[in-house]
Amino acid sequence: MGFPLVSALMRLGVKSTTTDQAPINSITLFVVLLCFCIVIGHLLEKSRWMTESVTALLIGLCTGIVILLNTEWKSSHVLVFNEDIFFIYLLPPIIFNAGFQVKKKRFFQNFMTIMLLGAVGSFISFVIIWLGSLQLFEKMDIGFLEMNDYLALGAIFSATDTVCTLQVLNQDETPLLYSLVFGEGVVNDATSVVLFNAIQRFDLSHINSTIVMEFIGNFLYLFLTSTLLGIAVGLLSAYIIKKLYLGRHSTDREVALMILMAYLSYMVAELFDLSGILTVFFCGIVMSHYTWHNVTESSRVTTKHAFATLSFVSEIFIFLYVGMDALDIEKWKFVSESPGTSIGVSSILLGLVLIGRAAFVFPLCFVSNLTRKHQIDKIGFKQQVTVWWAGLMRGAVSVALAYNWFTMSGHTQRRGNAVMITSTITVVLFTNVVCGLLTKPLVRWLLPQHKHSGSIMSSELLSSEMSLAMPLLTNGDDPKWDMAGDRIPRRTVLRMLLMTPVRSVHYYWRMFDDSFMRPVFGGRGFVPFAPGSPNVDIVHQSVLGEQQIVE
């Protein structure tokens, strides 16, 4: 098995870009490596340290070394990075699946905190990295960066890596942390891309109050319109599938329509120069809330696994390529003339990332805690440390933005640009490998899971349900709230009734959703009825039993 792979690597290494066979060889090798990453990732599933992203990075590095040896140090990769391919084909399924799989109730319960960390926090980190690099690089006398380059560095390194976050935190073990870091990561990536696009549009070499106001206005416009577009496309897909009910004749049609509508939301956003990341994320949330319940049972299973599989393969592909491209000789030739400069730039950027993240995580978590009434809902210091550490990882978005700004079609033309690209790759590799490997042990050390974690989680779920249902209780006699024979005292219930608002935001949303939205767009409990369809029984059960289920 090993000899054919080595010979393939040799053929790929000495390939000429003019031969017709080269693309086939390149794609074949990548498919083999993807399969290899999946198998190795499965074998390391129980590891305390390794994640899928770190595994793919290391395999990419090893593959790049083999190719380098077989090409006599001429090339380390078989494909040239194209940021358009990343943003158009690889990123959409990752972000959409994140929105499609997210636990909506917990996400929107922490929505204000997520927006604080994702939007306001990204801007704070952007400013610190921009001003810090401006002051420190000028003292190093690098001399090849202009004002817009420093601003671009702020946007590039303020983007966290949502993909790694999904792999190092568990949604069931640490639901609050997962919701905060994951939600912040998605909003953070979108904010960084919007900031990056705004920097490309505006001439910020001479900043004044007018330009700052236009910059902020453009940012808010892109943020709001991108979100509304994602919601609109998600509702449109739900309405079409509910009215036509394609599953009566072909489940393939409704599955295809869901996938294409999801991708359409991203492409329409890019067509109108909006944030495709925000658009496709909120489209995923809306489609999981309405559209997914309007299709047949077989289509639900198919779409859920199809979106997860596309996201999974895209994630591995990205990190595999980043690992291979880290050894690109073209870029390191420029840096080899002054390795001290490259090391200094990488160290400064890494330090600014650490400081920039700490500068907003702890203050904004403090502000968020002021708005949380109950002590159990507050974000503790250990949780804040975990949020800070888990969000340090920089990944594919940072690499793609750096290539977009500092290269021409994947090739580096100037020494200064090469230093920035290699420094970006160095920071990405360091934060992914070091932070990625240490995050799981850190979470276990700071937030240990007790032996009776199942009972603890059930009690947390019970307390969460009680906080929603408590306004509806008249006394403490409901057996649902009895745990191990210990009934909640009436005085406690009365006191909680007096302290708890009679109506919550979630209550009014459910009222509005059940009265206006679900009858039009479908959803749980409003599955379309079609005689003779494969899920007639499921329809009756949904209508009778699922309306009261809280998502």
Side-chain angles (χ1 to χ4, degrees):
M1 291 291 291
F3 293 106
L5 180 60
V6 172
S7 61
L9 291 173
M10 293 179 65
R11 290 199 304 272
L12 289 165
V14 298
K15 69 181 178 64
S16 171
T17 55
T18 60
T19 61
D20 296 333
Q21 192 70 16
I24 298 176
N25 292 339
S26 303
I27 294 173
T28 302
L29 175 62
F30 254 93
V31 172
V32 171
L33 292 174
L34 287 171
C35 295
F36 191 59
C37 288
I38 292 173
V39 173
I40 297 298
H42 170 73
L43 297 176
L44 297 175
E45 181 69 26
K46 300 298 182 180
S47 172
R48 291 183 55 192
W49 307 88
M50 297 297 291
T51 63
E52 295 281 356
S53 57
V54 174
T55 303
L57 277 172
L58 295 178
I59 292 175
L61 283 169
C62 294
T63 306
I65 293 173
V66 174
I67 296 175
L68 274 175
L69 294 175
N70 285 281
T71 58
E72 299 178 353
W73 302 94
K74 293 180 181 179
S75 175
S76 67
H77 51 70
V78 295
L79 295 174
V80 177
F81 185 88
N82 190 325
E83 63 274 5
D84 292 333
I85 293 177
F86 167 76
F87 280 111
I88 294 177
Y89 300 109
L90 298 177
L91 190 60
I94 297 174
I95 302 300
F96 176 83
N97 184 65
F100 193 78
Q101 302 288 352
V102 70
K103 292 184 178 180
K104 298 180 288 296
K105 179 182 174 182
R106 184 166 289 277
F107 177 82
F108 285 105
Q109 278 180 337
N110 299 292
F111 186 74
M112 292 307 299
T113 304
I114 288 172
M115 293 303 297
L116 271 176
L117 294 174
V120 179
S122 298
F123 190 77
I124 294 174
S125 179
F126 161 76
V127 171
I128 289 176
I129 295 173
W130 160 42
L131 294 177
S133 59
L134 177 64
Q135 296 297 321
L136 296 174
F137 288 168
E138 285 185 350
K139 292 181 179 179
M140 291 179 63
D141 195 24
I142 295 179
F144 51 75
L145 296 179
E146 300 176 355
M147 178 59 70
N148 277 16
D149 295 324
Y150 290 110
L151 290 165
L153 285 176
I156 289 168
F157 287 98
S158 63
T160 62
D161 186 13
T162 310
V163 176
C164 288
T165 301
L166 295 176
Q167 295 173 0
V168 298
L169 293 178
N170 189 290
Q171 189 165 198
D172 296 321
E173 292 180 358
T174 55
L176 175 61
L177 289 182
Y178 184 93
S179 176
L180 290 178
V181 180
F182 158 72
E184 180 224 336
V186 174
V187 177
N188 174 282
D189 284 348
T191 304
S192 300
V193 173
V194 171
L195 284 170
F196 188 83
N197 292 337
I199 292 169
Q200 290 181 316
R201 291 183 185 182
F202 291 94
D203 181 14
L204 299 176
S205 56
H206 303 287
I207 300 177
N208 53 45
S209 58
T210 304
I211 292 179
V212 171
M213 293 303 296
E214 290 180 359
F215 184 86
I216 296 174
N218 181 72
F219 174 80
L220 294 176
Y221 166 77
L222 290 177
F223 212 90
L224 182 62
T225 52
S226 300
T227 302
L228 293 177
L229 176 61
I231 295 173
V233 176
L235 292 176
L236 178 62
S237 68
Y239 184 80
I240 292 174
I241 290 180
K242 179 177 182 291
K243 286 297 182 183
L244 299 181
Y245 197 52
L246 306 175
R248 286 177 298 180
H249 307 296
S250 171
T251 58
D252 296 336
R253 288 194 181 98
E254 58 184 3
V255 171
L257 187 61
M258 280 190 70
I259 295 175
L260 291 174
M261 290 289 283
Y263 190 64
L264 177 66
S265 67
Y266 186 89
M267 294 310 300
V268 171
E270 294 297 314
L271 180 66
F272 290 102
D273 294 326
L274 302 176
S275 172
I277 295 177
L278 266 182
T279 298
V280 78
F281 175 71
F282 279 97
C283 180
I285 291 179
V286 173
M287 288 182 74
S288 69
H289 189 67
Y290 297 108
T291 313
W292 190 72
H293 295 283
N294 295 342
V295 300
T296 59
E297 188 68 20
S298 58
S299 296
R300 294 179 193 177
V301 176
T302 303
T303 51
K304 183 176 181 179
H305 290 288
F307 291 138
T309 302
L310 288 173
S311 173
F312 178 70
V313 174
S314 298
E315 293 168 10
I316 297 177
F317 185 94
I318 291 169
F319 285 103
L320 186 63
Y321 184 84
V322 169
M324 296 175 65
D325 194 65
L327 301 174
D328 185 24
I329 294 300
E330 181 186 76
K331 305 176 185 65
W332 290 104
K333 280 183 179 178
F334 291 100
V335 178
S336 61
E337 300 174 1
S338 54
T341 301
S342 179
I343 295 174
V345 170
S346 302
S347 302
I348 289 173
L349 290 174
L350 182 60
L352 290 174
V353 168
L354 293 169
I355 296 171
R357 183 155 183 83
F360 75 82
V361 167
F362 298 104
L364 293 182
C365 284
F366 173 78
V367 173
S368 176
N369 284 338
L370 295 178
T371 64
R372 296 172 183 258
K373 296 182 179 179
H374 304 290
Q375 186 65 32
I376 194 174
D377 295 330
K378 295 182 182 295
I379 308 170
F381 180 73
K382 291 183 178 180
Q383 292 175 316
Q384 294 178 29
V385 173
T386 306
V387 170
W388 168 72
W389 181 267
L392 288 174
M393 288 173 281
R394 298 298 180 263
V397 173
S398 296
V399 173
L401 293 179
Y403 271 88
N404 184 287
W405 189 268
F406 293 109
T407 68
M408 296 290 292
S409 300
H411 295 285
T412 309
Q413 305 295 329
R414 296 191 306 165
R415 172 182 169 274
N417 290 349
V419 171
M420 290 298 107
I421 292 293
T422 54
S423 298
T424 301
I425 292 175
T426 302
V427 172
V428 168
L429 287 175
F430 183 87
T431 55
N432 274 274
V433 175
V434 176
C435 298
L437 290 177
L438 294 179
T439 299
K440 285 185 178 180
L442 181 69
V443 171
R444 288 188 175 94
W445 178 58
L446 291 176
L447 307 168
Q449 294 293 314
H450 301 284
K451 293 182 180 179
H452 303 289
S453 59
S455 61
I456 292 173
M457 288 187 63
S458 63
S459 64
E460 289 179 355
L461 178 61
L462 180 60
S463 63
S464 176
E465 291 177 350
M466 286 183 61
S467 66
L468 292 173
M470 194 56 68
L472 305 178
L473 297 178
T474 56
N475 53 39
D477 297 335
D478 193 334
K480 184 187 299 183
W481 310 116
D482 292 349
M483 295 181 58
D486 297 329
R487 183 170 295 173
I488 301 174
R490 287 188 177 183
R491 182 176 297 178
T492 305
V493 173
L494 179 61
R495 184 178 298 143
M496 293 181 70
L497 277 170
L498 294 174
M499 295 176 62
T500 306
V502 178
R503 293 292 185 263
S504 62
V505 175
H506 183 266
Y507 172 84
Y508 286 113
W509 160 247
R510 288 303 300 254
M511 291 284 291
F512 174 77
D513 195 28
D514 291 340
S515 301
F516 299 100
M517 299 297 289
R518 296 195 191 204
V520 177
F521 300 105
R524 178 178 289 166
F526 291 84
V527 180
F529 178 79
S533 65
N535 59 342
V536 172
D537 295 334
I538 299 172
V539 170
H540 290 290
Q541 294 173 6
S542 300
V543 173
L544 294 175
E546 292 189 359
Q547 286 188 358
Q548 303 303 321
I549 297 177
V550 179
E551 295 179 6

